[in-house]
Amino acid sequence: MSHPRLTKASPKPPGITMLQTLLLISLLAVRSLALDVQVPESPLVVLFGMDAVLNCTFSGGVPVFNLSELSIFWQVADTQRSVHSYWNQQDQLLYQEERFVNRTSLFPAHLATGNASLLLRRVQVADEGIYTCFVRVQNYSKAALVMQVAAPYSKPLVTWEAAANPRPGDLVALTCVAYGGYPEAQVLWQDASGHNLTENVTISPIANEQGLFTIKSVLTVVLEPNSTYSCRLTNPLLGDEGHAYVTISAQGMVFPPLALWVTVGLAVCLLGLLVALAAVCHRKIKESCEEMRAEEEAKELEEAKELEEAKACFMHWQKW
């Protein structure tokens, strides 16, 4: 006679206690009250002299808030200096850094929707940097963004200095100049074959009062016949900004046949003239010498004659 098999019942899983439920609700409530401030992750590139919008939005916190509870602070991250401040439903610019005066504003109509963006007018090179957006609505949070300034350069201009008639083998200094750009540009020299010319190159960036650069690059080359050189300018933020080139026709010491015969003929004529002139001079000198000799002989004869006459007179006087 068989007996039914007895099995052990499995224990029931423990249920969620009231305390755990309350803790979960509290955690969700805290998370819902957390303030989330967001700014662009990529750097903001702004053209020199133009207006820029530094985007900053916030969400979370209380679903509905009064603007009297909202505070917004924009600061330069490295110096902690005030760019723009807002609380008590109005701008608070007492401690605003001097260079930002009359150049900043928020968007009042969009504050209630979570827009804390900043408008910065007439961007200058000195404005480049990291900006921090602080927002407080009961809770507090912040985020930082990078703003970079760019200015296009003028079209490059290539000039060269050398002798009036350069010849192969001469040293020539080529100068490439571009004005009014930012940041410092990269300069690439190439020959007619596209080969990079990196030796004997100097680059001199000079910044003006506004921080904009004048780029001057000098390339020293040994000329070859009909040489072409190009200067290419690249702005790190704006990319390729143009190039310029120059072709120098260096002539060797080669004479065409006609010019050679003309030169030889002139040389023969000149030599003939020199020989004729030497002959004439020789004859003139010879004639002058003969005339002087004849005059001297005549003078000697005259003196001898006078002496003989004197002698004769003296003898005649003795006889008396």
Side-chain angles (χ1 to χ4, degrees):
M1 184 169 144
S2 61
H3 299 280
R5 189 174 180 181
L6 299 176
T7 57
K8 188 176 179 181
S10 301
K12 293 182 178 181
I16 298 177
T17 65
M18 182 62 68
L19 179 59
Q20 290 175 326
T21 302
L22 292 176
L23 289 175
L24 181 59
I25 294 174
S26 299
L27 181 61
L28 293 174
V30 170
R31 178 171 294 183
S32 66
L33 292 175
L35 193 64
D36 183 24
V37 176
Q38 295 184 346
V39 296
E41 295 182 359
S42 301
L44 173 64
V45 178
V46 185
L47 289 178
F48 176 85
M50 303 298 290
D51 296 346
V53 176
L54 283 63
N55 289 314
C56 176
T57 59
F58 60 94
S59 59
V62 294
V64 179
F65 64 92
N66 191 299
L67 288 180
S68 62
E69 301 175 291
L70 176 64
S71 298
I72 298 174
F73 304 92
W74 278 94
Q75 290 183 348
V76 179
D78 56 346
T79 62
Q80 302 299 318
R81 294 186 177 181
S82 175
V83 179
H84 195 98
S85 299
Y86 172 94
W87 71 84
N88 288 340
Q89 302 185 62
Q90 61 181 358
D91 294 328
Q92 306 288 343
L93 306 179
L94 178 61
Y95 299 104
Q96 184 181 41
E97 187 175 358
E98 183 177 358
R99 65 189 175 101
F100 294 112
V101 173
N102 297 325
R103 296 177 55 212
T104 63
S105 64
L106 301 177
F107 297 87
H110 300 156
L111 294 177
T113 61
N115 187 350
S117 301
L118 176 73
L119 173 63
L120 178 60
R121 301 180 183 87
R122 303 180 302 280
V123 169
Q124 307 297 313
V125 170
D127 296 333
E128 189 173 63
I130 301 175
Y131 290 77
T132 304
C133 175
F134 298 84
V135 179
R136 183 175 66 85
V137 182
Q138 295 184 359
N139 295 293
Y140 161 86
S141 187
K142 66 178 180 177
L145 61 83
V146 177
M147 186 181 74
Q148 296 177 306
V149 179
Y153 283 86
S154 65
K155 180 177 175 59
L157 175 65
V158 176
T159 58
W160 58 280
E161 296 179 3
N165 297 310
R167 292 180 170 83
D170 289 352
L171 283 178
V172 175
L174 305 175
T175 303
C176 179
V177 180
Y179 304 91
Y182 188 87
E184 183 178 337
Q186 301 167 354
V187 180
L188 175 64
W189 285 95
Q190 293 178 313
D191 59 16
S193 301
H195 297 139
N196 294 347
L197 305 175
T198 57
E199 298 181 357
N200 302 323
V201 173
T202 60
I203 299 178
S204 304
I206 302 175
N208 61 17
E209 295 179 354
Q210 296 175 311
L212 302 179
F213 285 109
T214 292
I215 297 292
K216 179 180 180 181
S217 178
V218 179
L219 169 67
T220 302
V221 296
V222 178
L223 277 188
E224 297 179 0
N226 298 323
S227 302
T228 299
Y229 304 93
S230 67
C231 167
R232 183 175 297 277
L233 196 74
T234 302
N235 189 312
L237 296 180
L238 301 179
D240 190 0
E241 290 206 49
H243 69 281
Y245 67 91
V246 61
T247 299
I248 305 175
S249 299
Q251 300 296 333
M253 298 295 290
V254 178
F255 293 93
L258 179 60
L260 179 61
W261 286 113
V262 171
T263 303
V264 172
L266 290 175
V268 172
C269 291
L270 180 61
L271 181 61
L273 289 174
L274 291 175
V275 172
L277 181 61
V280 171
C281 291
H282 179 71
R283 187 175 69 252
K284 291 293 184 182
I285 293 173
K286 184 177 180 181
E287 290 177 355
S288 297
C289 291
E290 290 176 353
E291 289 178 359
M292 291 177 62
R293 189 179 297 112
E295 290 178 357
E296 289 179 356
E297 289 177 355
K299 186 176 180 180
E300 290 176 356
L301 290 175
E302 184 69 23
E303 290 177 352
K305 183 178 179 181
E306 290 178 355
L307 182 60
E308 288 296 329
E309 290 180 352
K311 239 171 122 177
C313 289
F314 181 73
M315 294 294 295
H316 181 73
W317 180 76
Q318 281 186 344
K319 289 180 181 182
W320 282 96

